[in-house]
Amino acid sequence: CKAAVAWEAGKPLVMEEVEVAPPQKHEVRIKILFTSLCHTDVYFWEAKGQTPLFPRIFGHEAGGIVESVGEGVTDLQPGDHVLPIFTGECGDCPHCHSEESNMCDLLRINTERGGMIHDGESRFSINGKPIHHFLGTSTFSEYTVVHSGQVAKINPDAPLDKVCIVSCGLSTGLGATLNVAKPKKGQSVAIFGLGAVGLAAAEGARIAGASRIIGVDLNSQRFDQAKEFGVTEFVNPRDHDKPVQQVIAEMTNGGVDRSVECTGSVQAMIQAFECVHDGWGVAVLVGVPSKDDAFKTHPMNFLNERTLKGTFFGNYKPKTDIPGVVEKYMNKELELEKFITHTLPFSEINKAFDYMLKGES
């Protein structure tokens, strides 16, 4: 089939004919119908701060239909409509047995792995030469092989061209608010970073009934669009000569009830924590920091009864919970269309990278 192969870091993807092997034990082969582009794909394609692993097939937000299943797969069958997910749920480990965790020991995200868990081998090849996988999903291919624990079976009536975005960024932001920050109706929420994940976090605050949703971003051009996601007020830290946590405290009579940080900037993480109200404020960190970053705040901020939490994939278990997020969309409780800015044929995938690199999508 056709796949968009990244042969080297930062170079345009090349449409190639690839061979996709049959699924092995606990694997399924999926016909990918729609894929979306996440900034994580761009980040690892540029390979500026990571171990470069090429040639590779990127992609991890997608929707498709199961084509065949490997040995031992009992919960999926050909014809099922599915979302492949970059993390998994084996169902057996302590994390999967815990109601509080979604960080599966077996299938937790691994950006360094280029083969499948079962045998370490790749299921993709060109003229017998292996092509590396990405996050166990590799959705920039017309067919891909994924561990069955990383596959969410969804409502077959759900439009795959819309719900494909549920498999990463949307769920990460939405769940950070609904499952972790848990704002009560009428409370105030600050969202740091208004990219796709931040807008999904704002959507979660809107669904929860927050009275004020304050968007914080260094790019004021993002403010108008963010209104569609429930954001009511905006702060650009560059417009103020005092720390943004102080600006927010003054706006909200002592601080917001909840904050969600979606930037990966350690400064924004500290600001998000220090801008919540003492006594009951909860800050949730979503963004991935640089490896040498250190979080620094005065311990009194904790002793004054502020809470700091972290989250991974919005605390959603892929197989158990993601079908329910799709149902929220089907029941019109969640809007997905407004998250989609461009639609392109697969052959023009490099244009999607251009849009993202220019900040236009």
Side-chain angles (χ1 to χ4, degrees):
C1 68
K2 289 220 167 23
V5 178
W7 287 100
E8 50 186 308
K11 293 281 162 52
L13 306 185
V14 182
M15 277 296 163
E16 302 279 11
E17 287 281 324
V18 299
E19 200 165 296
V20 186
Q24 303 297 307
K25 196 173 180 182
H26 300 311
E27 295 172 1
V28 296
R29 189 160 59 183
I30 301 169
K31 180 177 188 177
I32 298 291
L33 298 180
F34 298 93
T35 187
S36 51
L37 176 61
C38 167
H39 199 268
T40 304
D41 296 306
V42 177
Y43 189 64
F44 281 86
W45 164 75
E46 290 178 318
K48 287 175 181 166
Q50 311 76 37
T51 316
L53 194 59
F54 295 93
R56 203 169 199 182
I57 297 172
F58 287 103
H60 65 282
E61 282 190 7
I65 295 174
V66 174
E67 177 265 344
S68 56
V69 303
E71 182 196 332
V73 177
T74 54
D75 58 333
L76 294 161
Q77 55 194 36
D80 284 346
H81 285 224
V82 294
L83 303 179
I85 314 271
F86 65 90
T87 180
E89 184 181 348
C90 71
D92 293 326
C93 71
H95 283 278
C96 286
H97 284 304
S98 162
E99 283 178 18
E100 295 175 41
S101 175
N102 65 337
M103 298 184 73
C104 174
D105 285 332
L106 179 69
L107 298 168
R108 192 179 301 190
I109 185 171
N110 181 342
T111 58
E112 308 275 307
R113 196 170 60 232
M116 296 300 287
I117 279 182
H118 173 55
D119 55 7
E121 302 291 317
S122 174
R123 303 289 175 260
F124 297 110
S125 60
I126 295 179
N127 301 327
K129 291 203 176 87
I131 308 290
H132 295 295
H133 291 248
F134 180 61
L135 302 184
T137 51
S138 292
T139 62
F140 295 166
S141 175
E142 291 175 330
Y143 287 84
T144 188
V145 175
V146 181
H147 190 286
S148 65
Q150 287 182 240
V151 179
K153 180 181 170 181
I154 61 161
N155 184 338
D157 295 332
L160 289 169
D161 61 328
K162 306 293 189 293
V163 297
C164 61
I165 66 169
V166 169
S167 58
C168 176
L170 179 112
S171 298
T172 297
L174 187 75
T177 305
L178 293 179
N179 299 337
V180 188
K182 296 181 181 170
K184 299 182 175 78
K185 198 171 169 52
Q187 285 192 320
S188 57
V189 181
I191 309 287
F192 285 73
L194 297 173
V197 175
L199 293 174
E203 181 80 352
R206 180 188 72 76
I207 290 170
S211 59
R212 295 175 74 180
I213 304 173
I214 301 167
V216 182
D217 202 291
L218 297 171
N219 179 358
S220 297
Q221 289 175 322
R222 289 181 159 176
F223 291 172
D224 266 352
Q225 185 195 19
K227 287 176 187 162
E228 288 178 52
F229 299 84
V231 178
T232 56
E233 298 155 78
F234 303 96
V235 176
N236 185 333
R238 290 187 175 133
D239 296 343
H240 300 274
D241 50 11
K242 53 181 135 182
V244 73
Q245 50 270 56
Q246 204 178 323
V247 174
I248 290 172
E250 287 167 10
M251 287 169 67
T252 55
N253 196 19
V256 285
D257 301 302
R258 303 285 185 265
S259 71
V260 185
E261 179 282 325
C262 306
T263 69
S265 149
V266 74
Q267 283 76 28
M269 294 177 186
I270 294 164
Q271 292 160 354
F273 175 55
E274 293 182 352
C275 82
V276 298
H277 206 290
D278 57 8
W280 60 80
V282 178
V284 178
L285 306 188
V286 180
V288 178
S290 297
K291 62 180 192 299
D292 299 327
D293 281 340
F295 185 99
K296 192 175 175 199
T297 190
H298 197 279
M300 279 312 298
N301 288 321
F302 291 100
L303 297 174
N304 287 334
E305 299 175 11
R306 291 179 184 86
T307 301
L308 180 64
K309 291 183 167 189
T311 175
F312 168 68
F313 191 49
N315 276 45
Y316 286 118
K317 291 183 190 275
K319 294 177 84 74
T320 305
D321 299 331
I322 292 305
V325 179
V326 170
E327 289 310 308
K328 270 192 197 311
Y329 167 70
M330 297 301 280
N331 298 334
K332 305 213 169 11
E333 294 165 47
L334 171 65
E335 296 173 37
L336 295 181
E337 284 80 2
K338 61 191 179 185
F339 285 93
I340 299 168
T341 55
H342 301 77
T343 304
L344 296 160
F346 185 36
S347 58
E348 292 178 23
I349 190 166
N350 287 305
K351 260 193 199 165
F353 276 71
D354 290 341
Y355 286 134
M356 189 167 274
L357 288 166
K358 288 179 187 155
E360 290 173 14
S361 60

